């Protein structure tokens, strides 16, 4: 199985654990390759035909994205 990795704005490399589409967004779940306890969630935003990973807008959005992940990966 091939592992997809992404370098974020902090300069660290993260492994993509999952991608989940909701009604309004696509969420990407990431784990730091060097520190697996460093977990983060980003969402995909389209800008001029380019997909960008951006931070979530609020704690409520984080909770929603985390619920989607836990429901899918019970």
């Amino acid at each position: 199985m091939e592992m997809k990795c992404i370098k974020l704005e902090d300069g660290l490399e993260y492994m993509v654990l999952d991608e989940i589409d909701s009604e309004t967004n696509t969420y990407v779940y990431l784990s730091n390759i060097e520190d697996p306890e460093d977990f983060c969630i980003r969402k995909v935003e389209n800008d001029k035909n380019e997909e960008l990973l951006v931070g979530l807008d609020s704690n409520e959005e984080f909770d929603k994205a985390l619920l989607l992940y836990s429901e899918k990966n019970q």
Side-chain angles (χ1 to χ4, degrees):
M1 186 164 106
E2 190 173 317
M3 187 173 59
K4 184 177 176 183
C5 295
I6 296 173
K7 188 176 279 193
L8 292 182
E9 64 278 355
D10 59 7
L12 301 175
E13 249 187 289
Y14 290 80
M15 174 178 54
V16 176
L17 301 175
D18 204 348
E19 293 183 33
I20 300 175
D21 293 321
S22 73
E23 305 94 33
T24 55
N25 293 301
T26 298
Y27 294 104
V28 181
Y29 303 82
L30 305 160
S31 178
N32 184 328
I33 292 173
E34 299 295 323
D35 180 8
E37 292 183 14
D38 180 10
F39 172 83
C40 63
I41 304 171
R42 297 288 191 269
K43 64 182 171 184
V44 176
E45 192 172 272
N46 291 312
D47 181 42
K48 299 177 186 169
N49 298 325
E50 183 180 4
E51 287 188 345
L52 303 173
L53 289 180
V54 298
L56 305 183
D57 295 328
S58 64
N59 288 337
E60 291 79 17
E61 186 177 23
F62 177 83
D63 292 343
K64 175 186 172 185
L66 198 53
L67 180 63
L68 288 170
Y69 183 83
S70 65
E71 287 174 349
K72 181 180 176 187
N73 298 287
Q74 292 184 23

